[in-house]
Amino acid sequence: MDNVVLQWQNAAGKLFAYHLPVECAFTELYPLKTPGRNMYLLLGREKAYTFCLAFTAYVVELKGDYLILDNQVFSVNGYSDKNELSACNVEMTFDPARQVLSVDIDDGLPKSEEGDGFSATPFKPFKLRFQQGRFVPLR
């Protein structure tokens, strides 16, 4: 199990730390383009169960002395209004210039293990663009 602790410094130079209520090894952090707000996308992986390696996208916001965790930025593919998107055995990448999150097949896995491991329907890759404080399907 990984313990995720975020640290930040406010405008006055005061340091803060907060333990996130998730079990994930985040390896990437990206600022999200939102006028007047400080939002960040964290990407990482966690071992979920025997045949699932979960990839997680998690959004946080810094507001002065506070870490905001309840922004409802994802509303796609059955996930409604959450600050987190997780999927098994897929790869998530983020293009910071375009603010696009790509959820694609993990090329290192056999076809039988793609997607969530439970569905008979093949996984369909998709892309989300971050705009106006939310991730929306890219068309």
Side-chain angles (χ1 to χ4, degrees):
M1 175 167 70
D2 295 294
N3 290 307
V4 180
V5 177
L6 291 182
Q7 294 179 299
W8 73 97
Q9 188 173 21
N10 68 8
K14 186 175 178 183
L15 294 173
F16 296 87
Y18 185 82
H19 176 258
L20 283 183
V22 294
E23 295 180 12
C24 187
F26 290 111
T27 57
E28 300 174 58
L29 173 74
Y30 298 98
L32 295 170
K33 295 177 183 174
T34 49
R37 296 172 77 182
N38 295 313
M39 297 178 80
Y40 299 89
L41 173 68
L42 290 81
L43 294 179
R45 287 188 178 250
E46 65 180 304
K47 181 72 171 156
Y49 45 88
T50 306
F51 56 88
C52 175
L53 183 60
F55 207 105
T56 300
Y58 196 88
V59 175
V60 297
E61 180 178 4
L62 294 179
K63 194 180 250 183
D65 297 353
Y66 301 98
L67 180 65
I68 310 299
L69 301 177
D70 61 356
N71 283 307
Q72 299 173 343
V73 297
F74 292 106
S75 184
V76 62
N77 289 355
Y79 294 91
S80 68
D81 298 331
K82 293 188 172 200
N83 67 332
E84 170 181 12
L85 178 68
S86 291
C88 286
N89 302 334
V90 300
E91 186 71 33
M92 289 188 199
T93 56
F94 187 69
D95 178 341
R98 295 178 51 227
Q99 296 285 285
V100 172
L101 177 65
S102 299
V103 182
D104 206 345
I105 295 168
D106 186 340
D107 292 331
L109 291 170
K111 287 275 189 203
S112 62
E113 294 185 16
E114 292 169 358
D116 62 14
F118 296 106
S119 177
T121 306
F123 175 78
K124 292 182 180 150
F126 59 94
K127 293 181 185 291
L128 304 170
R129 179 184 305 277
F130 189 76
Q131 60 187 37
Q132 299 176 343
R134 296 181 60 80
F135 279 98
V136 296
L138 183 65
R139 305 222 188 292

